[in-house]
Amino acid sequence: MLVPYPDLAAYRRPTPQHVDWLLAKGVRASALIGPPMVLVAHGVRAPDGAFEDDPAGEDWLLFPEAEDVAYWQPRSGKLARWNRRAFAIGEDSIHAAATYSFDACLNVFADPVQWLRAGRDGIVIVDWSQTFDRLRDVPRIAVAQSLLDKFKHHLQPPRRPEIFVLRQQEAAA
């Protein structure tokens, strides 16, 4: 069963404390208002990686995507998703022609603060298991140094077929 897209109107805008913290990290205000705007939710990350709303839970920044919503908890660095369909924060940039114009690359950032600091120019991978399938046709990728080994590991086919050699058949006399 597919979990429906959450009601974004139920979430709130960042408080002045959230905004001050992000500005102190080098994020420009224009990166916060989007589109779409960065919002704040209270909740927890379930064992399956899904986000669960909980008024008593921690503050999470949320990033709406086309089919899902990605959540990031700044203190722990945990990432979660609403319906576990999102591959990355900013995933629309993967197929945008402007991403690769003038020999530019798809930038892969280690966390949402780095992504916001770069003006949302690229992605933050939320589900590493989808990396090969989602990025195998991308012409150029620039990866944060801290992610390089993990990225190389996941940018390989998750499985390969078993290969056999055909037996030569003798020609009929």
Side-chain angles (χ1 to χ4, degrees):
M1 178 176 91
L2 182 62
V3 178
Y5 199 83
D7 177 15
L8 296 180
Y11 297 116
R12 60 187 172 87
R13 293 178 178 208
T15 65
Q17 292 83 7
H18 293 115
V19 173
D20 289 346
W21 181 79
L22 288 162
L23 293 175
K25 295 284 186 184
V27 175
R28 291 185 310 252
S30 61
L32 297 176
I33 58 174
M37 182 176 201
V38 175
L39 298 170
V40 176
H42 290 284
V44 296
R45 183 179 190 267
D48 66 357
F51 181 81
E52 294 181 358
D53 283 314
D54 180 353
E58 295 184 285
D59 284 359
W60 292 68
L61 297 181
L62 68 98
F63 306 91
E65 294 297 324
E67 297 180 351
D68 201 350
V69 175
Y71 298 79
W72 178 60
Q73 207 299 310
R75 281 191 206 103
S76 67
K78 289 181 184 176
L79 291 162
R81 299 170 292 164
W82 181 258
N83 61 25
R84 299 182 325 209
R85 293 180 72 179
F87 160 62
I89 296 170
E91 65 184 78
D92 285 347
S93 65
I94 295 169
H95 300 292
T99 300
Y100 312 103
S101 61
F102 304 107
D103 293 328
C105 299
L106 172 67
N107 299 315
V108 180
F109 296 97
D111 64 52
V113 167
Q114 292 177 11
W115 177 72
L116 288 167
R117 194 180 303 136
R120 300 179 179 219
D121 181 20
I123 63 172
V124 177
I125 296 174
V126 177
D127 181 359
W128 285 92
S129 70
Q130 296 183 47
T131 303
F132 177 77
D133 290 330
R134 295 293 190 101
L135 300 181
R136 69 174 145 193
D137 296 323
V138 169
R140 290 174 298 284
I141 301 173
V143 181
Q145 179 70 39
S146 62
L147 295 177
L148 192 55
D149 290 337
K150 186 174 190 176
F151 186 81
K152 285 179 180 178
H153 172 76
H154 287 283
L155 197 61
Q156 296 181 32
R159 63 199 164 283
R160 293 186 178 119
E162 191 173 352
I163 299 173
F164 299 90
V165 175
L166 291 173
R167 226 178 348 165
Q168 289 279 30
Q169 300 218 355
E170 292 185 28

